[in-house]
Amino acid sequence: MIRDLYNVRLQPADDGPAPLTGEEERRYQAILFTELGNRIADQGWARYPAYTTEDRRRLVAVAHRLTAYWGMEVHVEAEDLCGMRLSLAGRGPSDPVSAP
C-alpha cells in the first residue's frame, strides 16, 4: 500500500538538534557529575565522547565542579576529535595506581 504524506517539509541539513533547556542542562550535568565522578573515583580517570563544542564545554564544567567538590584537581584533555579524558592529577589510563 502506498501512502502519501501531506504537509511534510524537509528540514535543512545544517540545522542540528535543538539546544537543551536550562532544566535539561542542569539534569544532564548532574548525571555526568555522578557517573564520571564515580568512574574517576574508582579508577582515577574516565573517557567520555564529546562530538561538539557544547559537549566539550559541558565536560570542562563538570571537571571544575568535581575539582571544587573533592578539593583535588581534575584534569580535562582532548584525546581526539571525538572524545575527552578526565583524570585526577597524576593519574591516567596508562599510569599505575599508587598505593595509599
Side-chain angles (χ1 to χ4, degrees):
M1 167 188 274
I2 298 174
R3 296 183 185 205
D4 293 326
L5 300 175
Y6 297 102
N7 297 325
V8 175
R9 292 175 275 156
L10 293 175
Q11 297 287 7
D14 59 344
D15 281 346
L20 298 176
T21 64
E23 178 63 25
E24 291 170 335
E25 181 69 31
R26 282 189 295 279
R27 282 192 272 158
Y28 187 44
Q29 284 196 18
I31 290 169
L32 288 175
F33 180 82
T34 301
E35 296 297 320
L36 292 177
N38 288 340
R39 198 174 316 157
I40 293 169
D42 289 343
Q43 62 189 31
W45 59 275
R47 287 188 180 116
Y48 200 79
Y51 301 108
T52 65
T53 304
E54 185 65 23
D55 291 338
R56 292 175 185 267
R57 183 205 55 81
R58 191 175 289 125
L59 289 173
V60 169
V62 168
H64 288 300
R65 285 183 56 201
L66 287 169
T67 296
Y69 184 74
W70 286 336
M72 299 172 63
E73 189 172 357
V74 177
H75 295 283
V76 182
E77 61 183 283
E79 286 191 316
D80 55 24
L81 293 175
C82 299
M84 296 188 74
R85 183 175 68 202
L86 288 79
S87 61
L88 292 174
R91 300 275 302 271
S94 61
D95 297 335
V97 177
S98 58

